[in-house]
Amino acid sequence: MKTNADLIVSNASEVVTCASATDAKKGAQMLDTGRLENASVAITDGCFAAVGSAAAIDREFTSDNVIDAKGKSVIPGLVESHTHIVYAGNRVGEFELRIKGADYLEILEAGGGILSTVEKTRAASEEELFAQSKKRLDRLMSGGVTTCEIKTGYGLDLKSELKMLRVILDLNRKHACDVVPTFLPAHAIPPEWKGKEDEFTDLICEDMISAAAKILSSEGEGPFFIDVFCEKGAFSLEQSRKVILAAKNVGFAVKAHVDEFTNLGCARFAIENGAVSIDHLDATSDEEVDLLAQSQTIGIVTPTVNFNFGSTEFADARKMIDRGCAIAVSTDYNPGSAPCPSIQTAMAIACRYQKLLPAEALNAVTINAAAALGRQTTHGSIEPGKQADLLILETPDYREMAYEFGWNFAECVIKNGKVLV
Ligand code: NIG
Ligand code: FE
């Protein structure tokens, strides 16, 4: 007697499982993709029931609902671990200024950059914000993203930060993509607090964090994250420390933007405080890379930012993997430093400029990215019991996804066992 499955994806040229039980892949493990040739996947109740050779799945399972994946590669749904996609307007004017030579941090210093998005986001209604952001999430999902982290950080006052947070939670409820919320009130110093950075930091620690914790803890699904932008012209190490500790204290898990332009020492502090991820890592020291390798923290690199700045210098993800770190790759999709909704493009850049092999890049946007969201037990790989999020690619070889760039290889997106795209 065969077992009845809700859906079988059968006969794929390869099923690249990225299996790793419940852990991120570190160092040389990032080369291991758990690839099975001529394989099938059985799905029941929105979860993977089994994955194995086409013959074995055929012996064990039957279904009224079979997708023939002959000639195709099947991979896990992609996990986008770092975005700022809830915002109003765009920064195409700033894009032109930078083409003519303006510097990203100098634009911010002059009240533009992140702060120009803050102005527009504060002025937008919750409905407008939702509508604009949903389109961006649709774009990510059509490119294969089935789980997406989204940060606040363009409100920078209590009312507007909570507005952003509600939009993020609403996207999670209404969109097929799983959305993981991150609270980022320490993203920039808003104009009304210029010169009073410590006082603004106190306001974050005393009022904003507890208000956000109240909303997030009633939402059920955890963990939820705090994040800070530790950078010259944004938050100092001391201010970042205060924010991280205040948030940890009321149950937030920790993320931090560190070393994007300047090393202020936040990588060490975040790792020592059990950060789930530290993000960017362009100016991270060898000593900090070794600390990262010894920790459970995931290093998220965002090569789309460097590409967007027209730079040929990138975070040295190759060295980080060689020294034993667990690395995730993200688009950092946002209106300023990385207006890029394509995680496949991020993979393509990571392979070329950070010297990741396609196998490493795939683990970096699946199991390791899931671990960077604390979701590695349920997301990020094709393994029995995990959520049935998978992609059918229009190629028999997943490596083509990084090789041919500027194209979307996700022909079919399956989320929780349901065909979406
Ligand atoms: O990850 N660096 C800070 N935050 C974003 C950029 C946000 C923006 O430019 O609007 C980043 O690069
Ligand atoms: Fe960011």
Side-chain angles (χ1 to χ4, degrees):
M1 243 319 247
K2 291 190 187 186
T3 307
N4 202 58
D6 293 342
L7 172 66
I8 296 175
V9 178
S10 80
N11 262 316
S13 292
E14 59 177 14
V15 174
V16 189
T17 64
C18 297
S20 109
T22 58
D23 288 324
K25 296 191 181 187
K26 288 181 116 173
Q29 294 171 340
M30 286 189 68
L31 284 170
D32 178 10
T33 57
R35 178 177 174 274
L36 308 170
E37 273 175 43
N38 301 323
S40 301
V41 179
I43 294 168
T44 295
D45 292 335
C47 291
F48 295 118
V51 51
S53 73
I57 298 293
D58 195 41
R59 267 197 308 278
E60 211 186 315
F61 290 91
T62 176
S63 179
D64 297 336
N65 203 358
V66 177
I67 298 177
D68 181 11
K70 191 165 186 292
K72 313 279 181 190
S73 172
V74 169
I75 66 171
L78 305 180
V79 179
E80 174 45 81
S81 57
H82 178 144
T83 81
H84 310 250
I85 60 168
V86 171
Y87 61 86
N90 66 46
R91 306 228 292 270
V92 72
E94 175 190 323
F95 173 57
E96 290 188 332
L97 287 178
R98 276 193 287 98
I99 291 171
K100 294 187 203 153
D103 173 82
Y104 177 80
L105 285 182
E106 281 167 16
I107 294 172
L108 175 62
E109 178 63 32
I114 294 174
L115 295 177
S116 78
T117 300
V118 169
E119 202 183 315
K120 294 200 183 78
T121 304
R122 283 180 175 176
S125 72
E126 211 159 312
E127 293 68 32
E128 275 173 78
L129 259 190
F130 180 89
Q132 295 193 23
S133 309
K134 180 186 169 294
K135 276 192 201 151
R136 301 179 189 119
L137 194 54
D138 290 342
R139 285 181 200 139
L140 283 162
M141 194 168 213
S142 64
V145 169
T146 51
T147 301
C148 182
E149 186 259 15
I150 309 178
K151 302 174 197 295
T152 70
Y154 295 121
L156 307 186
D157 60 33
L158 181 64
K159 186 171 127 248
S160 313
E161 280 294 306
L162 296 187
K163 174 175 74 179
M164 286 191 72
L165 199 54
R166 284 193 302 273
V167 170
I168 294 170
L169 295 172
D170 220 28
L171 285 167
N172 186 42
R173 280 183 221 108
K174 296 180 181 154
H175 203 282
C177 191
D178 282 332
V179 172
V180 176
T182 295
F183 193 50
L184 175 59
H187 192 200
I189 308 293
E192 66 276 19
W193 289 96
K194 199 163 182 196
K196 294 177 288 186
E197 290 77 10
D198 286 332
E199 287 86 340
F200 181 56
T201 305
D202 290 342
L203 181 78
I204 292 173
C205 296
E206 284 155 23
D207 296 353
M208 295 199 201
I209 285 174
S210 54
K214 214 179 276 169
I215 296 179
L216 287 165
S217 54
S218 66
E219 204 63 18
E221 258 177 289
F224 48 84
F225 293 94
I226 187 77
D227 195 347
V228 295
F229 184 24
C230 185
E231 183 59 55
K232 216 169 60 190
F235 290 79
S236 69
L237 176 59
E238 193 43 41
Q239 290 156 352
S240 303
R241 225 194 256 273
K242 277 191 186 164
V243 171
I244 288 172
L245 292 178
K248 252 188 98 171
N249 215 10
V250 292
F252 281 87
V254 176
K255 289 179 169 288
H257 284 67
V258 305
D259 309 333
E260 183 172 356
F261 303 97
T262 322
N263 186 330
L264 296 182
C266 195
R268 171 183 286 274
F269 174 75
I271 293 167
E272 287 174 352
N273 277 276
V276 176
S277 76
I278 53 174
D279 305 34
H280 287 292
L281 311 178
D282 293 85
T284 306
S285 70
D286 285 357
E287 200 192 336
E288 290 162 315
V289 169
D290 288 339
L291 263 183
L292 180 62
Q294 288 149 25
S295 74
Q296 298 300 308
T297 305
I298 311 293
I300 300 180
V301 294
T302 59
T304 41
V305 172
N306 312 68
F307 177 82
N308 181 55
F309 289 155
S311 170
T312 49
E313 280 177 45
F314 288 77
D316 198 344
R318 176 73 268 143
K319 179 169 73 190
M320 293 173 200
I321 295 171
D322 291 342
R323 287 188 177 224
C325 299
I327 294 300
V329 168
S330 156
T331 61
D332 194 1
Y333 190 4
N334 75 69
S337 70
C340 175
S342 166
I343 197 166
Q344 295 177 48
T345 299
M347 293 170 75
I349 302 172
C351 289
R352 285 163 179 79
Y353 288 97
Q354 297 176 306
K355 308 299 173 199
L356 269 61
L357 285 162
E360 294 169 317
L362 185 67
N363 280 313
V365 296
T366 54
I367 186 66
N368 281 10
L373 300 180
R375 303 288 175 107
Q376 68 277 20
T377 57
T378 47
H379 294 68
S381 60
I382 300 178
E383 290 178 270
K386 282 197 174 183
Q387 223 170 273
D389 301 346
L390 65 81
L391 311 181
I392 304 175
L393 304 181
E394 59 159 74
T395 160
D397 180 347
Y398 79 92
R399 295 175 303 172
E400 272 202 70
M401 211 183 7
Y403 163 68
E404 272 201 28
F405 59 95
W407 181 242
N408 175 14
F409 281 90
E411 195 171 75
C412 176
V413 179
I414 296 179
K415 174 72 191 165
N416 287 110
K418 302 231 151 48
V419 178
L420 292 180
V421 181

